[in-house]
Amino acid sequence: MFQSPMEISIDEDHTLNPPKKRFRVPDVVVSELDEKKIWLQKVATETIAGDATPSSVVYVSDGYEAVVRHEPFEVFVRERSGDRRRVVSLNSHGLFDFEQLRKKNEGDNWEEKFRTHTDSRPYGSQSISFDVSFYDSSFVYGIPEHATSFALKPTKGPGVEESEPYRLFNLDVFEYEHESPFGLYGSIPFMVSHGKSGKTSGFFWLNAAEMQIDVLANGWDAESGIALPSSPEPKDVVKQYASVTGTSAMPQLFATGYHQCRWNYKDEEDVAQVDSKFDEHDIPYDVLWLDIEHTDGKRYFTWDSVLFPNPEEMQKKLAAKGRRMVTIVDPHIKRDDSYFLHKEATQMGHYVKDSSGKDFDGWCWPGSSSYIDMLSPEIREWWGGRFSYKNYVGSTPSLYIWNDMNEPSVFNGPEVTMPRDALHVGGVEHREVHNAYGYYFHMATSDGLVMREEGKDRPFVLSRAIFPGTQRYGAIWTGDNTAEWEHLRVSIPMLLTLGLTGITFSGADIGGFFGNPEPELLVRWYQVGAYYPFFRGHAHHDTKRREPWLFGERNTQLMRDAIHTRYTLLPYFYTLFREANVTGVPVVRPLWMEFPQDEATFSNDEAFMVGNALLVQGVYTKGTTHASVYLPGKESWYDLRNGKTYVGGKTYKMDAPEESIPKDRFRRSSSQMDNDPYTLVVALNSTQEADGELYIDDGKSFEFKRGSYIHRRFIFSKGVLTSTNLAPPQASLSSQCLIDRIILLGHTSGPKSALVEPLNQKAEIEMGPLRMGGLVASSATKVLTIRKPGVRVDQDWTVKVL
């Protein structure tokens, strides 16, 4: 059952007359939460042995209550019945400390030096520290972004080799190391625990300043924030978090396909050649990307007039094939008085200031640069207007945006970022808003694309920096990884962590951004990456070209097959993106989210679930021809390569040849699949039952919010497959698409025919090897396939297996 989160706020003691208000992070918590908020009232008092004053007991939700101890201070949530076990608590170890903002007097020396940089710290040290305890929990997860295991490793404690705490501080990290607690490009202070009981708890600390988190020492060290603890089942906790920070934006269909990127495709001829090569090699893709070299001297919203003289024509040629283009727009603006954007931003006072009040001047790709102050809603609205066709000359409706370097990256700044004492609107120091800067930049860009299309089409914006709420504005990727097997492996726990903390539309650069992947590594990366929510190949400009057709025919075929698999599964992925949009449950999930009481899944971060039906096990070692695969639960599992059946709850040694993924019909891009028929794959359980869903809309507009969509449920029971409507009565979308095949995995009765109602006709039926488009399984396993039942995807019908 869905439970409500509980909110705790910590603020200054205003009787001490602090020099300014403690910063509260705006525009992250969704407005609906305030509308639904119920102020908790004391329902009882309770005296705890040794306390000076009675504790207050408040109702949280059905089955749970909170106890507030006053002296000593502690807050804990517990079950209301039985032995009233604790679920999560705050300050049970007495580590709470709150440093008040102070006025600087003559003689005070609060400055802090970092190499050649000096932080003036005008209000002194202003940290908050406390401890959080999870009960009946085996593992904790979350607090991205780190290149480390999914289950967080302890940093302190008995028998533990002490290590650095996990750091949350957005930074531009060059060739980051795996298995490190060092913070990367984003920060989400949301931690989730899970244990043998199958129950899950979470704790969210809304804070945009730097944080240090020790695991097992139970210490959080931060500079400001609001906390929201929660419980009980895995998906419920994710839904609770989504009720606070929002669910994922519904992407356009094209964005869920394959993206081809490089720093940089050098000119229009290069773009045309890459595009034509995809067609020549029968490889579908949806988006071609341009990095910073497409601009006029790193001036964003411009084009190099020699290399890209006809940008609109270039985009229209791609659009004619149903393809899109993405260009990069970063937050650093070249300080050039002849540059229209810099001139306007300067005149309007839209830049972040340095500690003296002057426009901050830092160094990035264009050289001397200033940074738009995205904390201001008015400046964000102005920024959004830069994406209009009038202001972004050469852009078309098929052009979308990539926000990079938005941590923000400042090459000559402390730790390659903005000084902590830089100033935003309202006198807010950068230290207070740092981790949210990229989030506001992402928000403003996304809102700008919505403005550009007058609210008709959904935006697509990729961001490198992340913060709670990022999921409402677009996709992210894991940054500048490396062409190493370990970076392929660590991409899985990184994406699982992101999904668990709200950011489901995420991916890693296929093949690694830095370095030159050997063909085997690149093939294996495509085979795993085909199941990433965001599927993009990308590479540094110093690497060798690595488009899929450059490694010999066999490797081209393997990468082609991997990309074909993604397009075969697009309807499934799109349905899962809709689930994430409605509920917050991620597309890619840890095994324990679907099997919460299976302890063997709790630390497994090499396999993952795509939705509730598909388990993916990657290959992360060179020369591997077999993989050890644990199949959780007690029901049957089916190998989609051949239809072979396995019993859950066991580990199997399975063949893992490079030719190991299914494929089906394909098109040049997702938009050319609009009228293709569907194949339903029905995996039956031990009682010969199954169910699943399919979501369809127009793939681009916001009309789905007004009921223009198809949502079907398919149930197989007692030998009958039934299609029923899950959309509301006012849902208006229809489709002429047919169900082409129904594949029944695990059907045992040996049927001879299938009756289709209400058409009152029989469908063709066969028992034979599993066939998925061009692939025919070599296994002797036989599966039942119903061919051409003649039913539409948007209608009620039944198919009875006789």
Side-chain angles (χ1 to χ4, degrees), residues 19-288:
K20 69 170 189 172
K21 290 183 177 180
R22 176 81 57 160
F23 176 68
R24 293 199 174 201
V25 186
D27 304 315
V28 171
V29 174
V30 296
S31 59
E32 293 85 352
L33 185 69
D34 285 332
E35 296 169 4
K36 297 175 182 177
K37 186 181 296 183
I38 300 174
W39 293 100
L40 301 179
Q41 295 184 355
K42 183 170 68 175
V43 296
T45 59
E46 179 179 309
T47 301
I48 298 177
D51 284 7
T53 59
S55 300
S56 301
V57 181
V58 296
Y59 170 84
V60 176
S61 61
D62 292 343
Y64 296 90
E65 61 189 10
V67 177
V68 181
R69 298 176 67 190
H70 304 285
E71 296 183 50
F73 171 66
E74 181 190 22
V75 180
F76 58 88
V77 177
R78 69 185 180 193
E79 297 175 347
R80 299 184 69 199
S81 59
D83 56 5
R84 299 197 296 181
R85 291 182 303 174
R86 288 189 176 202
V87 177
V88 61
S89 67
L90 172 70
N91 205 44
S92 296
H93 295 270
L95 298 181
F96 178 77
D97 186 54
F98 186 98
E99 294 185 310
Q100 295 275 343
L101 301 176
R102 293 168 287 169
K103 295 178 181 178
K104 195 168 189 177
N105 298 313
E106 188 175 348
D108 289 335
N109 184 14
W110 296 337
E111 292 182 350
E112 188 173 73
K113 294 187 180 295
F114 178 79
R115 296 178 181 170
T116 61
H117 303 278
T118 299
D119 178 3
S120 61
R121 300 210 301 171
Y123 303 102
S125 179
Q126 46 188 288
S127 69
I128 301 171
S129 63
F130 56 88
D131 58 87
V132 178
S133 298
F134 298 101
Y135 298 83
D136 295 327
S137 296
S138 308
F139 297 95
V140 288
Y141 313 86
I143 58 170
E145 185 175 33
H146 306 94
T148 187
S149 58
F150 181 48
L152 296 173
K153 296 177 181 177
T155 60
K156 291 182 180 179
V160 173
E161 183 179 351
E162 189 167 323
S163 67
E164 292 291 322
Y166 289 93
R167 189 187 192 196
L168 293 182
F169 190 63
N170 295 9
L171 290 175
D172 178 1
V173 183
F174 182 84
E175 292 187 276
Y176 56 80
E177 297 180 359
H178 56 83
E179 295 304 327
S180 169
F182 193 78
L184 298 180
Y185 311 96
S187 300
I188 301 183
F190 178 46
M191 184 177 282
V192 174
S193 73
H194 188 72
K196 296 178 181 178
S197 66
K199 292 189 175 182
T200 310
S201 300
F203 192 94
F204 171 47
W205 179 249
L206 179 52
N207 170 58
E210 179 181 0
M211 301 180 70
Q212 307 278 345
I213 301 171
D214 275 315
V215 175
L216 289 193
N218 299 317
W220 292 56
D221 187 7
E223 293 197 4
S224 54
I226 301 172
L228 297 101
S230 53
S231 51
E233 301 296 332
K235 290 182 183 178
D236 288 337
V237 169
V238 172
K239 291 175 182 178
Q240 288 176 43
Y241 178 71
S243 76
V244 175
T245 64
T247 61
S248 297
M250 188 65 194
Q252 289 201 42
L253 179 62
F254 82 80
T256 66
Y258 176 63
H259 301 243
Q260 183 64 40
C261 185
R262 180 176 177 80
W263 179 19
N264 203 87
Y265 288 118
K266 57 187 180 182
D267 53 28
E268 290 180 3
E269 182 180 357
D270 196 10
V271 167
Q273 184 177 35
V274 170
D275 176 66
S276 66
K277 284 289 186 180
F278 272 95
D279 294 336
E280 179 183 331
H281 292 277
D282 295 326
I283 303 174
Y285 87 105
D286 267 87
V287 191
L288 196 144

Side-chain angles (χ1 to χ4, degrees), residues 470-492:
T470 288
Q471 65 270 16
R472 307 202 302 266
Y473 299 103
I476 72 101
W477 90 109
T478 60
D480 298 344
N481 59 358
T482 303
E484 298 174 0
W485 286 95
E486 273 302 307
H487 271 257
L488 167 59
R489 189 201 62 78
V490 82
S491 71
I492 304 307

Side-chain angles (χ1 to χ4, degrees), residues 40 84 143 229 247 252 351 412 417 485 505 547 626 679:
L40 301 179
R84 299 197 296 181
I143 58 170
T247 61
Q252 289 201 42
Y351 285 138
N412 62 340
T417 193
W485 286 95
F505 200 4
E547 287 76 23
H626 295 83
T679 295

Side-chain angles (χ1 to χ4, degrees), residues 261 289 291 326-329 401-404 462 477 536 538:
C261 185
W289 295 53
D291 212 315
V326 166
T327 54
I328 196 167
V329 177
I401 302 300
W402 172 15
N403 288 161
D404 198 357
L462 181 76
W477 90 109
R536 182 184 75 154
H538 185 38

